[in-house]
Structures are given as C-alpha cells and as structure tokens.
Amino acid sequence: MKRFRSALAFILALALLFCMTGCAGSETQTTTEPTQASTQEITEPAGTTTESQAITLTDQAGRQVTLEAPAQTLVSCYYITTYSTLALGLGDRVVGLEKKADTRPIYTLCAPELLEKPQVGTLKELNVEAVVALEPDLVLMPVKLQDYAATLEDLGIPVLVVNPESQELLEEMLVLIAAACGVPERSEALLAYYEQQLDKVRERIQGEEAPRVYLASNSSYLSAAPGQMYQSDLITLAGGENVMSQLPGDYWTEVSYESILAADPEVIVIPAGAEYTTQDVLADESLAQVTAVKNGAVYAMPQNLEEWDSPIPSGILGVLWLTSVLHPQVYDFETFQKDVQDFYKTFYGVEIPGDLITK
C-alpha cells in the first residue's frame, strides 16, 4: 500500500482534514490523483476529480465495484465501517446503519444523529428490504455478510465488501471507502498519522523485551485472539508477544485453563465492552499461578469510547494504549492520554474528557 512518509505530506494531509466541520465534515471535492490501494479507474484524465466521474474499485473480497459518481448516501452494515465514516468525515452521508447503535458510546459523543437513523441488521443477518428502501448510493458490508451482496447488486445497489483483519487491511479499507466517496485526501491524512505514530512506537520499544500477552474476548476470558486476528497485530505492534498466536482460525477461539497456564502470560488484556472485569480474572483460583495474575498485571481497555482492540480507525490508539501498558518506561500514560485527546480532536472533531481514558 502506498504510504506517505514525508513530513510535508503529513502536514498537508492534516491541513486538508481541518477543512472538515466536526465529525460530518464538509463535502468539498479536491483535485487529487487516485491512490494505488484503491485501484480507482476514472473516465476522465488522471489527476482530476469531478462529481460525474465513474469510479471502479476492487474490494477486499476481490470483487469489482463500479460507481457512476462518488457515493453521497451510504448504508453501513457494520460498526467498523460506520466508525470509518466518522473518522473520514462522512458521517452525514450515512442513511442507515447496524443495529444496537445505542450501545456505541462514540455515536453519542460524536454523531448523535446516527441514533435516529434506520438500523438494517447485524453481523449475522441483513434486512435487505430495509436497505433497498433507503436507496443508498453504496452499501458498506463486512465479508461475513457478502452473501447478500449479489442480491443488492441485482437490485442496482453497489456493495463494497471489507475485511480489515490486519493493520494493512484496515488501512486498505479506509482508502477504499474514501475513494468510493470521492475524498481520498481524508484517508491519506489517517494513514500519515498511523505512519507517524507507528514509527514513534518502533523507536520507543527498540531494544525492549517483548512481554507475553494474552488478549481475551468480550464474552469470556477463556476465549483468545489467534494469530490471524487484527488483535494479534495490535499486540505485536505494541512490542508484545501474543501467547495464543498459534491458535487456528481468524476469530475468537475457546481455550482451556490448562492452555493459559502453559502459555503463562505476563500481561492479560480485557477488551472494551467485556462481560467480565479485571477482578473476575484476578479472583479465579484456576488462574492463580499465571504470572500476570500473581503480579496483578490484568488490564482493561477503556470502556466508554471505542473498541480499540478492533480494526477501526482509532485502533491505532489500541496500539498506543498497549504500548503504555507494556512499556511504561518509554511511553508514560499521561503522554498517551494527550495523544488520545489530540487524535479525537483532529479526526472526529470532539473533545474527549480525560477521565474516559483509563488503564
């Protein structure tokens, strides 16, 4: 994927971003050249962007998606793509979204109007009739729902399928969504920020020992992230070692007490929205001999913002949070809190209270 490595590119990208108003942003078209990752093809000379351009993209399911013009109305079937519209300044284009929107604190903080929009489905099923009634220019859909894509496209509704199960694929998804909506400069700003922050993390943790980390699921601490999940990338990027990286599959996988004892993690991480607490883990006598439990090194991600362990635009904050947990000697928590507030101010247009940023 094309990266924006120079400081000048980063400054210019942020300058463009500040033109957006709040989370929704303005919709001014900008002259720009298509990025390689979006595989955008246009019907007019390269280097121009107009409302009449056709856009052809290859989505993350390998499907070719063609739009007659940048999408102005969106249905997002997945909280990850809805979060992406907010970070890209496209929240005002969302006309329908996933169910249980009221359980996402960031919507209340950043875009409360989304709570009034029609809700069209879950990660397991989609209400096709509800989507069709909204007449969107584009539907943003996770790979788990892609069986619905053909039905919608037969009805004349383009579908962009995403599968952001690594940092690279997350970045690719953002490029695709921005390209589909005719605002590639906004994904460029995010990617430049990621590049800058990940470079800083690599510099900070260079020469530091990688602690052994167990990242549990929301539903149970006897379920862990295998190596093919985005969450495993998060651990590695933060300078840790995923003790369950050898588990098969690409989704939360059940494990036994015996396997946790054998892996003996030095740190246990509980994700946002977990149905249990750090005290539940610390009080479980079956885990009493695990190093993380003996040392009290069981940490819960902040519960009242976003799911930073997920492949979402703010997932970079999950990397930074875990870096501050694993390597506080090189990245203290107060610096991390400031970085979080700067991120949300820059990309979401909101001030985040410091007491929501916890460890």
Side-chain angles (χ1 to χ4, degrees):
M1 173 177 297
K2 182 178 179 180
R3 296 297 190 98
F4 303 90
R5 299 186 181 276
S6 72
L8 180 59
F10 175 62
I11 294 169
L12 289 174
L14 283 181
L16 284 168
L17 186 70
F18 282 125
C19 292
M20 295 183 287
T21 302
C23 298
S26 65
E27 300 305 335
T28 303
Q29 294 295 331
T30 305
T31 299
T32 185
E33 191 166 335
T35 63
Q36 181 179 355
S38 72
T39 64
Q40 181 177 11
E41 299 173 4
I42 57 179
T43 57
E44 298 183 20
T48 62
T49 301
T50 70
E51 290 295 336
S52 62
Q53 283 181 348
I55 301 171
T56 298
L57 305 166
T58 300
D59 70 13
Q60 292 183 306
R63 303 165 55 258
Q64 191 174 81
V65 182
T66 299
L67 301 169
E68 294 181 358
Q72 300 301 314
T73 55
L74 305 168
V75 165
S76 173
C77 308
Y78 189 27
Y79 78 95
I80 287 177
T81 49
T82 307
Y83 287 5
S84 297
T85 66
L86 296 181
L88 293 167
L90 299 168
D92 60 350
R93 300 193 194 189
V94 176
V95 295
L97 70 164
E98 76 283 353
K99 289 185 177 180
K100 299 184 179 179
D102 59 350
T103 67
R104 310 291 181 187
I106 194 63
Y107 296 164
T108 300
L109 287 169
C110 183
E113 65 276 7
L114 288 179
L115 302 178
E116 306 301 321
K117 303 292 184 181
Q119 299 182 8
V120 299
T122 68
L123 195 57
K124 296 181 179 179
E125 61 180 356
L126 182 67
N127 185 334
V128 173
E129 291 78 10
V131 173
V132 172
L134 294 170
E135 300 182 342
D137 293 335
L138 180 66
V139 173
L140 304 174
M141 178 182 293
V143 69
K144 292 183 183 297
L145 292 175
Q146 68 175 317
D147 288 347
Y148 293 97
T151 300
L152 289 170
E153 291 189 329
D154 286 345
L155 295 170
I157 299 175
V159 176
L160 188 73
V161 177
V162 302
N163 186 36
E165 283 301 336
S166 69
Q167 179 65 27
E168 182 178 1
L169 290 173
L170 166 62
E171 294 177 6
E172 182 180 272
M173 175 190 71
L174 292 169
V175 170
L176 286 167
I177 295 173
C181 294
V183 289
E185 72 280 0
R186 300 184 188 178
S187 63
E188 291 169 9
L190 278 166
L191 268 60
Y193 178 86
Y194 298 160
E195 182 93 2
Q196 182 193 58
Q197 290 297 338
L198 291 174
D199 281 347
K200 287 183 179 180
V201 170
R202 283 188 285 267
E203 291 172 6
R204 287 170 176 144
I205 66 176
Q206 185 174 6
E208 298 290 325
E209 186 175 345
R212 301 187 307 278
V213 180
Y214 178 90
L215 203 162
S217 74
N218 288 335
S219 59
S220 170
Y221 53 82
L222 292 179
S223 180
Q228 294 185 50
M229 284 188 78
Y230 170 84
Q231 285 78 358
S232 189
D233 259 19
L234 184 155
I235 295 170
T236 302
L237 291 169
E241 175 191 350
N242 179 10
V243 297
M244 293 298 170
S245 63
Q246 299 306 311
L247 289 175
D250 59 1
Y251 199 66
W252 300 109
T253 303
E254 290 186 9
V255 297
S256 64
Y257 282 111
E258 291 75 18
S259 62
I260 299 175
L261 289 166
D264 193 26
E266 298 169 89
V267 174
I268 294 175
V269 174
I270 297 172
E275 298 173 6
Y276 54 92
T277 67
T278 56
Q279 289 305 312
D280 292 331
V281 176
L282 292 168
D284 191 329
E285 294 184 0
S286 296
L287 297 175
Q289 297 307 308
V290 174
T291 297
V293 174
K294 288 192 291 186
N295 294 337
V298 180
Y299 301 95
M301 286 186 160
Q303 304 295 302
N304 297 307
L305 288 168
E306 297 181 271
E307 299 84 344
W308 290 343
D309 65 302
S310 299
I312 57 178
S314 63
I316 186 66
L317 301 181
V319 175
L320 299 182
W321 178 88
L322 190 54
T323 302
S324 75
V325 168
L326 301 181
H327 306 286
Q329 68 278 12
V330 297
Y331 184 47
D332 62 82
F333 197 71
E334 288 184 2
T335 302
F336 164 70
Q337 287 179 311
K338 182 179 183 302
D339 286 342
V340 171
Q341 290 174 317
D342 288 347
F343 175 87
Y344 279 107
K345 179 64 175 176
T346 299
F347 292 101
Y348 288 67
V350 292
E351 300 278 359
I352 297 297
D355 59 1
L356 295 183
I357 309 167
T358 57
K359 180 164 72 173

